[in-house]
Amino acid sequence: MVAPPPNNSVKRTAFRRRLLRALGLMDSSLVAPREVAVSVVGQCASFAVGLVTYAAMGALTHLVVFAVVWALIAVLLFFLFRAFLRGKNWVRLLVLALVAGGLLTLPAHLSTLHAQWQRALYIGQGVVQGLSVALLFLPASNRWFSQKAKA
């Protein structure tokens, strides 16, 4: 296998930098503590599992509507997670409220699921989301969010 010429790798690196800068994700002050980063990854994983589960449950009867709705949700989640990585305190309070509401409805929603694997995935998502929110309120996360609020 032949390595690409140095010009291509330089161009790719420059493109990545321009893309990250354009998305507002390339900033040296965006280095979040591990707890915040793990929380964001956990929430992204929960979203992906939910998307796959929803598709596997046969909800693809209206494929175009499904694709548009989930694309809009993905865009909204991108801006939500971007706010996390920028240390916006309001976003962790919003996610706390959303996850708390979701966990409160968990027992009612479980009764509508018929397959055991669906229930297991739904409970797993609830656990991941609950742990992800808990990580946002640990001391290291609190320091980071309060430090960002002062800046």
Side-chain angles (χ1 to χ4, degrees), residues 25 30 32 36-37 39-48 73-88 90-91 95 132 136 144-145:
L25 295 175
L30 293 179
V36 174
S39 175
V40 169
V41 168
Q43 292 171 38
C44 286
S46 177
F47 172 72
I73 291 172
V75 168
L76 290 173
L77 286 174
F78 167 78
F79 287 108
L80 185 78
F81 296 139
R82 182 176 170 212
F84 264 127
L85 296 176
R86 289 177 169 244
K88 305 296 184 188
W90 62 266
V91 78
V95 168
S132 293
L136 295 174
W144 190 68
F145 280 106

Side-chain angles (χ1 to χ4, degrees), residues 60-73:
L60 295 180
T61 54
H62 303 288
L63 185 59
V64 174
V65 174
F66 175 79
V68 169
V69 168
W70 283 101
L72 289 173
I73 291 172

Side-chain angles (χ1 to χ4, degrees), residues 2 4 17 19-20 26 37 40 55 63 65 74 90 106-107 109 113 115-116 121 129:
V2 178
R17 284 190 183 135
L19 179 64
L20 289 173
M26 187 163 184
V40 169
L63 185 59
V65 174
W90 62 266
L106 187 119
H109 190 68
L113 300 174
Q116 195 66 23
L121 279 175
Q129 290 173 0

